[in-house]
Amino acid sequence: MSRTLMMLAGAALLGTALTTGAQAEVIIRLAPVHTDAMVENYNPYNYSGPQAYVQDFAYEPLWIYNVWHPDADFPGLATSFDIAPDLMSVTYHLREGEKWSDGQPFTADDVVFTYNYAKEHRDYPVGFDFYDEAQQSGILTGVEKVDDHTVKFLLQHPDSLAHLNIGSIFPLPEHIWKDVADPKNFANPNLVGTGPFTQVRDFSRNSFKLCRNPNYRENATNTIDCIEYPQLSDNLQVIAAITNGDLDWATDGITDPDITYTPKSPDNHYWLPADAGTNLQLNTTKAPFNNLEFRKAMSMAIDRETLLDIATFGLTSPAKYPIGEGMFYKDWIDDKALEPYAYLLNYDPDAAKKVLDDAGFVDKDGDGWRDNPDGTPIAFKMAVPSGWDDWVNSLQTISENLADIGVNAKMETPEEGAWFENIPTGNFDVYIMWTNLSSTPWFTYHSMFNPRTMTPGTLNEQSMHQMRIPGIEADLDAISGTADIAVQKAKVTDIMTQVAENLPVITLFSNPAWYEYSTRNFTGWPDADNPWARPNNPAGVHERVKVLLSLKPKAAQ
Amino acid sequence: MAFLARRLGFYFAAFMVAITLNFFLPRWMPGDPTTRIFMALRGKMRPDQMEMLKKAYGYDGSLLEQYGQYLWKLLHLDFGISTVNFPEPTSSLLFYAAGWTLFLVGVATFLSFGIGLVMGIYSAWHRGGFFDSVFTPINVMMNAFTPAVVALLLWYAFALEWAVFPLGRAHDINLVPGWNWESAVSISWHAVLPVLSIVLVNFGSWHLGMRNTMINLLNEDFVVLAKAKGLSDRRVRYRYVARNAILPQITSLALSVGFVFGGAFISEVVFNYPGLGKFTLNAIESRDYTFIQAQLTLLTCSVLIANLISDVLNVIFDPRLRTSGGH
């Protein structure tokens, strides 16, 4: 009897040993979005959180743009695409033999379905830029299935950049979604995708895992078994987690990393490459911001070195030219054309005072502050949401800089919701604002100068300055109307020059792309010496799946 | 009985006012729930899509219509759909968080109460003594401490620097909580710092309240008489003085228990504890109207019920209230 027990125990032990061996899974932990609790929702177009978990990793786009290296994009579900010579259509060549994670084939029908489905359910933000005749906006007019592995998107007018919109769409499996009547409310409990990680496991309010898709085409070379998403509700928690080794990859703001983060472990690393620019959006519909000389003086009065080193903790990067963007698009920047405007970013309060004096901005009522040339006093507010510390510090500095040249500009820190609510109304003086990035500067400047977003009531946060510059609008159309890179570059230079000439926004600096990583469990991270793709992992950075798949698990070495 | 009936009428009126305010207050705040989506999309969403989304969330129609719908749903205990965790029903997260808050704040409240009471009795009895002159000022100070500072210091010292306790959460990340030993250990271990952060700033007020009431009673005739009768110190201290001094404390305790569902948002945020305070704060920041409404309704009910219980207890203990219309 006792012997049987012993044998049983032995077998049990052996079993344990075997299962442990089999369960030595490689798991990478990341927190691409903050949440108070995990929710069972895997809808790729639910932008309240699920998108951050399942886009890229479970659902693949047609094309993965390498924003840092546009000549080294990654194929997604399409292996290539052609823009028609007349720029009136874009044709995608889809992967052949590709399967959804449930074994069904992926074909052109799925892409056509996704297009039509999105058109039927306009409250479901798939993101296709449909042509809207009434609004005179949008570009896409239809889609055609050429054969099982080829789809052609039709455009309303010639556009060489429509692929930026189409390529980033994640096609949905028709056999699942055709039965979904209300996609925005659909939790997509049985995730079916084509990406490397599609199997949901170990769901709890605290975390869940996305594990290997059994049908993923590159399973043979993928060394990572699962992504684990731990619940973390704020910046502080995320940084603490990666500091103590509870996370492998983070994308959150950090201050004083050399004191609080890297000394804690030799495995703790960070790299903060320049990302989107930070500008002052001025309300150019009213005085004094409708005066170019005043805008020039403002720009020259700002001590950007203090902004970089002190206000933003030394984590931001300088801008070189007043083009509404830092050096993110350095391959597009023509130094020769822009050099004459570089002085506008140099801290020179005396020159700024002289510009104001010459333009008639002097203290007429004797209260110690400069007034408008017509005698009305200048006193304006610069707004930033409370709690956005680096930007609060920045506006504080700018407020002092402007006081030094006699301009009465006060900072105000409304609560975030109130700050956002005032954007569309145009009820503001000065806002501090980010820029929108893409693989081409066209997108950034299109957001900033699209006249259709300049109507008070429906203002966009990029175009809230409301300065229409016809030359720029023409250039933007010219860029999307040609596929010739040389022409596009010339037009981009022309746009940048006009921004520098007109100063609709005041260029400050570039924000960092927040990127913290641990070499405790994985190596091979992109860094300053190997910047082959954007290395951070929030939703919208589609390269993140490529970065993740390139990592080497340490145990397997 | 008439007294209780009057109170019940009052509670019903208070409840109606509260649920009305619960509806309108969040909507008076600037901004709306689509802000968060707008932020997440960084320029990729057009204004017409934004309008579609607002409709999807059910924020079209006049405010009065929405109010009608809200009351109707509330009548059916339907708290609606959360927009932060769209389209998860608000109630599922509300009750999840309420459970953890009940545990965290409940334990912390009773610990604060117990510790404060014992310290209060001791320092009142030996007033002016060593214990009293050292701990009473310290507790006054602790009570004045900002809870955020205490919580952050504890978190920084014992979770981040000397990683003795976990950084956050109510239990181990891979644990499925259940009624077993493993869960009990994990949950207790994770609760140490959050509970401590609440107790440290709270027990001082119980201490002071108890001490002051006791000192007043010590000079009462019945205490002098008890001492003169030669009763033991112990008997006088607990049976005569403490027992009387505790009555007002119990009334305050009932109120505190009512407010348990307000959560302890500072400790919950700092220790990533899945409680109501943290969820509500996030709901307020992202204008998740349905969650704010549901949480406030829960809080309203718990406060009213706690008050009702203390009223009933008063009727039982205070004979004057029972003789309805006595004079």
Side-chain angles (χ1 to χ4, degrees):
Chain A
M1 193 61 199
S2 62
R3 217 146 119 198
T4 330
L5 266 178
M6 288 273 284
M7 276 171 68
L8 274 175
L13 271 176
L14 197 68
T16 329
L18 279 176
T19 33
T20 343
Q23 278 179 350
E25 289 185 317
V26 178
I27 295 173
I28 183 167
R29 295 156 303 168
L30 49 144
V33 66
H34 298 161
T35 180
D36 282 337
M38 290 298 174
V39 171
E40 287 180 274
N41 190 321
Y42 312 106
N43 186 330
Y45 296 113
N46 180 320
Y47 284 95
S48 64
Q51 95 282 10
Y53 302 122
V54 301
Q55 282 188 0
D56 310 312
F57 300 124
Y59 290 90
E60 296 177 288
L62 288 173
W63 195 252
I64 301 173
Y65 291 93
N66 190 346
V67 169
W68 277 2
H69 305 284
D71 45 352
D73 284 348
F74 310 100
L77 279 173
T79 50
S80 66
F81 64 90
D82 312 314
I83 302 167
D86 63 357
L87 307 182
M88 289 294 284
S89 67
V90 191
T91 305
Y92 285 85
H93 304 283
L94 307 177
R95 282 182 193 280
E96 295 186 21
E98 184 69 24
K99 283 198 172 99
W100 294 100
S101 50
D102 62 355
Q104 297 281 321
F106 162 77
T107 67
D109 291 326
D110 292 310
V111 180
V112 172
F113 165 79
T114 306
Y115 181 92
N116 292 326
Y117 188 73
K119 199 160 188 176
E120 261 169 57
H121 299 94
R122 295 299 292 272
D123 57 356
Y124 184 53
V126 172
F128 280 115
D129 192 11
F130 298 113
Y131 175 65
D132 180 335
E133 197 164 358
Q135 302 267 335
Q136 286 291 304
S137 70
I139 182 73
L140 300 172
T141 54
V143 65
E144 281 172 9
K145 174 183 172 182
V146 178
D147 60 43
D148 269 356
H149 302 289
T150 316
V151 276
K152 184 170 168 187
F153 289 89
L154 309 175
L155 311 181
Q156 197 271 335
H157 52 261
D159 191 335
S160 63
L161 297 174
H163 66 89
L164 288 175
N165 174 255
I166 305 164
S168 310
I169 302 287
F170 302 89
L172 299 168
E174 179 177 10
H175 61 284
I176 306 284
W177 292 77
K178 68 177 177 358
D179 301 322
V180 178
D182 185 10
K184 65 175 188 292
N185 281 318
F186 181 51
N188 194 22
N190 299 309
L191 205 171
V192 172
T194 59
F197 305 97
T198 54
Q199 310 305 106
V200 176
R201 243 179 48 193
D202 303 336
F203 177 89
S204 77
R205 290 288 185 211
N206 281 299
S207 75
F208 72 92
K209 297 191 184 89
L210 267 189
C211 297
R212 249 178 220 286
N213 167 4
N215 293 323
Y216 184 55
R217 58 183 176 277
E218 286 163 31
N219 261 342
T221 53
N222 174 17
T223 51
I224 296 173
D225 294 303
C226 298
I227 302 174
E228 179 172 15
Y229 297 116
Q231 170 272 332
L232 290 162
S233 52
D234 58 32
N235 187 302
L236 196 67
Q237 286 288 337
V238 171
I239 295 302
I242 193 156
T243 304
N244 282 14
D246 293 343
L247 265 189
D248 296 301
W249 191 13
T251 193
D252 270 75
I254 189 167
T255 47
D256 286 333
D258 294 322
I259 297 168
T260 58
Y261 171 64
T262 43
K264 290 285 155 59
S265 159
D267 288 323
N268 289 356
H269 302 276
Y270 71 93
W271 177 38
L272 306 176
D275 202 54
T278 298
N279 296 323
L280 291 183
Q281 289 270 353
L282 312 176
N283 188 343
T284 64
T285 61
K286 58 185 185 187
F289 311 110
N290 55 9
N291 186 305
L292 174 62
E293 297 307 307
F294 187 83
R295 299 197 296 271
K296 274 189 193 165
M298 255 182 103
S299 184
M300 290 156 75
I302 295 170
D303 179 2
R304 289 178 177 75
E305 223 163 281
T306 303
L307 294 187
L308 288 171
D309 296 339
I310 296 165
T312 60
F313 318 110
L315 304 173
T316 46
S317 321
K320 220 165 147 187
Y321 306 111
I323 53 173
E325 186 57 80
M327 295 305 285
F328 188 83
Y329 298 116
K330 50 185 176 303
D331 296 345
W332 295 80
I333 284 173
D334 180 349
D335 287 291
K336 225 166 52 214
L338 295 171
E339 192 54 52
Y341 303 99
Y343 80 96
L344 289 165
L345 298 192
N346 286 343
Y347 177 47
D348 191 346
D350 293 329
K353 279 185 204 160
K354 188 169 180 312
V355 170
L356 290 178
D357 289 341
D358 293 348
F361 289 97
V362 290
D363 181 12
K364 295 202 170 82
D365 54 14
D367 65 352
W369 296 110
R370 289 179 190 267
D371 303 305
N372 284 310
D374 64 5
T376 51
I378 297 177
F380 58 85
K381 297 268 176 60
M382 304 189 289
V384 57
S386 61
W388 295 19
D389 291 337
D390 46 349
W391 282 8
V392 169
N393 297 343
S394 300
L395 282 192
Q396 192 67 56
T397 306
I398 293 170
S399 171
E400 287 161 16
N401 290 156
L402 292 177
D404 290 343
I405 61 163
V407 171
N408 183 2
K410 295 274 178 292
M411 174 177 74
E412 60 176 0
T413 54
E415 189 263 352
E416 206 175 276
W419 187 81
F420 272 106
E421 196 180 52
N422 266 336
I423 290 174
T425 64
N427 176 23
F428 78 106
D429 297 328
V430 177
Y431 260 41
I432 187 166
M433 187 55 72
W434 61 81
T435 61
N436 289 331
L437 293 182
S438 170
S439 47
T440 154
W442 178 86
F443 184 74
T444 305
Y445 291 114
H446 182 72
S447 323
M448 219 178 271
F449 294 103
N450 183 354
R452 276 195 297 271
T453 60
M454 285 194 195
T455 324
T458 57
L459 284 180
N460 183 277
E461 92 282 355
Q462 293 297 309
S463 55
M464 61 196 288
H465 58 80
Q466 302 164 68
M467 187 193 290
R468 286 197 61 172
I469 305 177
I472 292 183
E473 288 167 25
D475 284 336
L476 286 169
D477 286 343
I479 293 171
S480 62
T482 178
D484 185 338
I485 291 286
V487 177
Q488 289 188 348
K489 282 209 162 161
K491 295 292 178 190
V492 165
T493 304
D494 200 35
I495 291 175
M496 289 176 174
T497 315
Q498 290 177 78
V499 175
E501 189 71 49
N502 293 294
L503 299 178
V505 296
I506 305 284
T507 312
L508 298 179
F509 49 76
S510 285
N511 271 336
W514 301 109
Y515 166 45
E516 301 87 11
Y517 60 101
S518 165
T519 50
R520 192 181 309 256
N521 305 316
F522 295 91
T523 56
W525 299 91
D527 57 24
D529 300 324
N530 187 19
W532 60 277
R534 282 194 289 177
N536 50 344
N537 67 31
V541 174
H542 303 306
E543 301 93 313
R544 60 186 185 157
V545 63
K546 292 292 165 190
V547 170
L548 186 133
L549 291 175
S550 78
L551 301 175
K552 305 271 174 295
K554 255 186 163 170
Q557 276 173 351
Chain B
M1 253 23 261
F3 169 76
L4 273 186
R6 253 197 335 265
R7 297 303 290 170
L8 276 176
F10 167 76
Y11 285 138
F12 181 72
F15 180 74
M16 288 314 291
V17 171
I19 61 171
T20 305
L21 282 177
N22 293 353
F23 176 82
F24 287 102
L25 274 182
R27 284 168 176 78
W28 282 334
M29 293 191 289
D32 66 58
T34 39
T35 305
R36 167 171 288 222
I37 309 289
F38 173 81
M39 279 175 77
L41 281 167
R42 284 268 163 128
K44 293 204 178 96
M45 184 172 267
R46 296 204 317 273
D48 56 317
Q49 287 177 307
M50 210 61 186
E51 288 308 309
M52 295 275 191
L53 209 66
K54 279 186 192 176
K55 278 197 190 126
Y57 281 166
Y59 296 127
D60 55 344
S62 74
L63 208 55
L64 216 60
E65 277 168 40
Q66 289 183 41
Y67 178 60
Q69 283 172 12
Y70 158 76
L71 287 183
W72 183 247
K73 281 183 174 173
L74 202 60
L75 201 65
H76 298 80
L77 291 180
D78 175 359
F79 290 114
I81 301 290
S82 160
T83 49
V84 172
N85 297 298
F86 189 75
E88 179 95 349
T90 299
S91 51
S92 78
L93 288 174
L94 184 79
F95 292 125
Y96 166 71
W100 287 114
T101 283
L102 191 62
F103 169 69
L104 175 71
V105 186
V107 168
T109 304
F110 281 100
L111 274 182
S112 312
F113 181 74
I115 296 172
L117 223 59
V118 171
M119 288 180 89
I121 295 172
Y122 191 83
S123 57
W125 196 254
H126 302 282
R127 62 188 182 283
F130 174 76
F131 182 89
D132 186 38
S133 45
V134 171
F135 282 96
T136 304
I138 285 181
N139 284 351
V140 171
M141 197 184 76
M142 287 307 297
N143 195 34
F145 244 71
T146 318
V149 174
V150 175
L152 277 170
L153 281 177
L154 285 173
W155 180 75
Y156 185 74
F158 299 108
L160 197 62
E161 279 300 313
W162 306 296
V164 186
F165 291 99
L167 281 169
R169 296 206 169 79
H171 52 76
D172 203 63
I173 187 162
N174 292 319
L175 179 92
V176 180
W179 298 104
N180 54 45
W181 181 244
E182 193 196 358
S183 297
V185 170
S186 179
I187 290 170
S188 317
W189 190 241
H190 281 73
V192 172
L193 287 184
V195 166
L196 194 63
S197 74
I198 304 173
V199 170
L200 277 181
V201 289
N202 280 328
F203 78 93
S205 66
W206 297 112
H207 169 171
L208 295 177
M210 189 65 190
R211 176 182 176 273
N212 295 345
T213 326
M214 260 194 70
I215 286 176
N216 284 336
L217 289 176
L218 282 175
N219 300 320
E220 294 279 334
D221 292 344
F222 72 93
V223 178
V224 179
L225 178 71
K227 282 185 178 168
K229 279 203 306 195
L231 294 176
S232 73
D233 252 16
R234 207 185 140 73
R235 199 173 159 88
V236 176
R237 193 197 303 178
Y238 293 111
R239 295 300 274 295
Y240 282 72
V241 189
R243 204 175 163 183
N244 279 298
I246 210 169
L247 285 174
Q249 308 300 320
I250 285 187
T251 313
S252 325
L253 182 68
L255 286 178
S256 303
V257 170
F259 276 106
V260 159
F261 286 115
F265 86 89
I266 288 169
S267 300
E268 289 169 4
V269 167
V270 170
F271 296 102
N272 190 19
Y273 208 87
L276 277 173
K278 190 176 80 164
F279 279 75
T280 308
L281 183 72
N282 189 7
I284 291 170
E285 280 172 354
S286 47
R287 306 291 186 265
D288 190 348
Y289 300 150
T290 55
F291 194 93
I292 306 174
Q293 284 160 12
Q295 200 273 345
L296 289 176
T297 306
L298 184 65
L299 185 59
T300 308
C301 291
S302 67
V303 170
L304 291 179
I305 289 170
N307 272 290
L308 185 66
I309 290 172
S310 94
D311 278 346
V312 171
L313 288 178
N314 270 322
V315 171
I316 292 170
F317 289 123
D318 192 339
R320 285 168 297 181
L321 288 171
R322 253 176 293 171
T323 54
S324 48
H327 45 260

